[in-house]
């Protein structure tokens, strides 16, 4: 079985073709960073327009790379939510239209389920059950995963997502958009211990997150200190350390609470090497293991949508001629496969 995956939930156009036996046959990704950089963040209308411009050409490139025609496909999967509604509608309408024109089933995919299943694209695949930390610019959540579609939400951010807090703090430091990865790189030059920021909600029971207060603490420090390169690096180090410690504490708590030893991390922030290293230490101390996708599958991409779509298609999921974009779509509302 081969399936085309289309990802257009935010500011990246991702296209991939997944073969059940051979894996990823083609993978194309177009980032809109240059489009939105002058605005310091994603402009939804511009994102939608760029998806309109790039989606079909990228699909044509992917088919050519894989040496396939539409007749060689068994389905078309597209991100139906959550995300920016205009951007989602581009992928939904193109995916559904192509499926209709090619006489193929169309499969709406949950964006976060795509991230959650992205580690399944690797050789070392985690077995169910496991705890998943989904951490990106729009979401931070801990989920118990007993199977595909068998999700129990354990905790989530009550305000800013971790990736959002990274980007906002980077902007306060005067870094270019998108600032999160730049802040992480700057933190490598930081001095440990010069600044100390809070670890929000770690002294309370439960598995929810909060990062707005941490961002405010960083903002206050930035205003009070000089603007030298070293001071900025020291603040970046302290901020990243606080975020990672918070995530690690909650992951350890979730593993112990559920009696599990396998941890999956996915989403854009999961590419952060310091986060990976600390979570590896946490799981090792518990006698467990951490799993994550390779960096190109951490950010939004078509490969994760193609894989998740294939799992749904094999269970009989497909859409009729109508389609719906779901900008808000709870992960734990999905049916099991």
């Amino acid at each position: 079985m081969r399936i085309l995956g289309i990802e257009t939930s935010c500011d990246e156009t991702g296209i991939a073709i997944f073969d059940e036996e051979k894996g990823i046959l083609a993978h194309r990704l177009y980032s809109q960073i240059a489009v939105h950089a002058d605005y310091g963040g994603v402009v939804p209308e511009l994102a939608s327009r760029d998806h309109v411009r790039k989606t079909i050409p990228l699909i044509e490139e992917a088919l050519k790379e894989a040496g396939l025609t539409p007749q060689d496909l068994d389905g078309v999967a597209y991100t139906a939510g959550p995300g920016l509604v205009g951007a989602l509608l581009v992928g939904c309408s193109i995916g559904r239209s192509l499926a209709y024109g090619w006489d193929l089933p169309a499969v709406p995919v949950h964006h976060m389920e795509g991230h959650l299943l992205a580690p399944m694209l690797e050789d070392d695949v985690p077995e169910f059950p496991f705890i998943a930390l989904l951490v990106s610019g729009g979401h931070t959540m801990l989920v118990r995963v007993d199977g595909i579609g068998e999700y129990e939400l354990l905790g989530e951010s009550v305000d800013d997502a971790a990736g959002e807090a990274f980007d906002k703090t980077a902007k306060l430091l005067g870094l270019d958009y998108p600032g999160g990865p730049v802040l992480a790189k700057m933190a490598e030059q930081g001095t440990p211990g010069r600044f100390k920021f809070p670890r929000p909600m770690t002294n309370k029971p439960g598995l929810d997150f909060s990062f707005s207060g941490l961002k405010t603490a960083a903002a206050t420090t930035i205003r009070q200190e000089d603007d030298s390169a070293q001071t900025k690096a020291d603040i970046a180090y302290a901020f990243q350390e606080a975020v990672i410690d918070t995530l690690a504490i909650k992951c350890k708590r979730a593993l112990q609470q559920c009696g599990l030893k396998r941890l999956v991390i996915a989403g854009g922030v999961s590419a952060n090497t310091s986060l990976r290293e600390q979570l590896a230490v946490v799981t090792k101390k518990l006698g467990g293991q951490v799993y994550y996708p390779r960096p190109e599958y951490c950010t939004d991409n078509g490969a994760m949508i193609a894989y998740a779509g294939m799992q749904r298609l094999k269970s009989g999921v497909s859409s009729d001629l109508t389609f719906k974009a779901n900008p808000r779509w709870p992960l734990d509302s999905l049916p099991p496969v």
Side-chain angles (χ1 to χ4, degrees), residues 274-296:
S274 296
L275 175 62
R276 292 187 177 203
E277 291 169 1
Q278 186 145 336
L279 291 180
V281 172
V282 167
T283 52
K284 185 176 181 180
K285 287 181 178 179
L286 295 175
Q289 187 175 352
V290 62
Y291 301 82
Y292 39 77
R294 70 193 75 170
E296 59 262 41

Side-chain angles (χ1 to χ4, degrees), residues 133 140 142 156-158 201 207-211 246-247 250:
L133 171 66
T140 301
L142 279 166
E156 62 185 336
S157 180
V158 299
M201 298 183 71
L207 296 170
D208 284 335
F209 301 92
S210 171
F211 294 105
T246 300
L247 294 172
K250 293 299 180 94

Side-chain angles (χ1 to χ4, degrees), residues 285-328:
K285 287 181 178 179
L286 295 175
Q289 187 175 352
V290 62
Y291 301 82
Y292 39 77
R294 70 193 75 170
E296 59 262 41
Y297 297 152
C298 289
T299 55
D300 296 348
N301 64 87
M304 69 183 193
I305 302 304
Y307 180 84
M310 176 167 289
Q311 305 310 311
R312 290 288 168 183
L313 182 59
K314 287 166 64 177
S315 70
V317 173
S318 63
S319 66
D320 56 22
L321 286 176
T322 62
F323 61 85
K324 179 182 179 183
N326 298 287
R328 297 175 184 266

Side-chain angles (χ1 to χ4, degrees), residues 6 76 78 90-101 104-107 319-323:
I6 302 172
V76 177
Y78 57 86
V90 175
C92 288
S93 58
I94 291 176
R96 191 65 196 84
S97 298
L98 289 178
Y100 177 74
L104 296 172
V107 187
S319 66
D320 56 22
L321 286 176
T322 62
F323 61 85

Side-chain angles (χ1 to χ4, degrees), residues 61-74:
E61 288 180 17
L63 286 169
K64 184 177 180 180
E65 178 188 352
L68 301 174
T69 67
Q71 289 70 39
D72 297 314
L73 301 174
D74 297 291

Side-chain angles (χ1 to χ4, degrees), residues 2 28 47 49 68 82 88 121-123 134 140 157 160 171 182 192 222 248 251 255 283 293-294 302:
R2 299 189 193 99
R28 287 286 185 271
R49 292 180 184 181
L68 301 174
L88 290 169
L121 296 167
E122 305 302 326
D123 293 333
L134 302 180
T140 301
S157 180
D160 291 352
K171 189 173 184 178
V182 183
I222 292 168
C251 284
L255 289 166
T283 52
R294 70 193 75 170

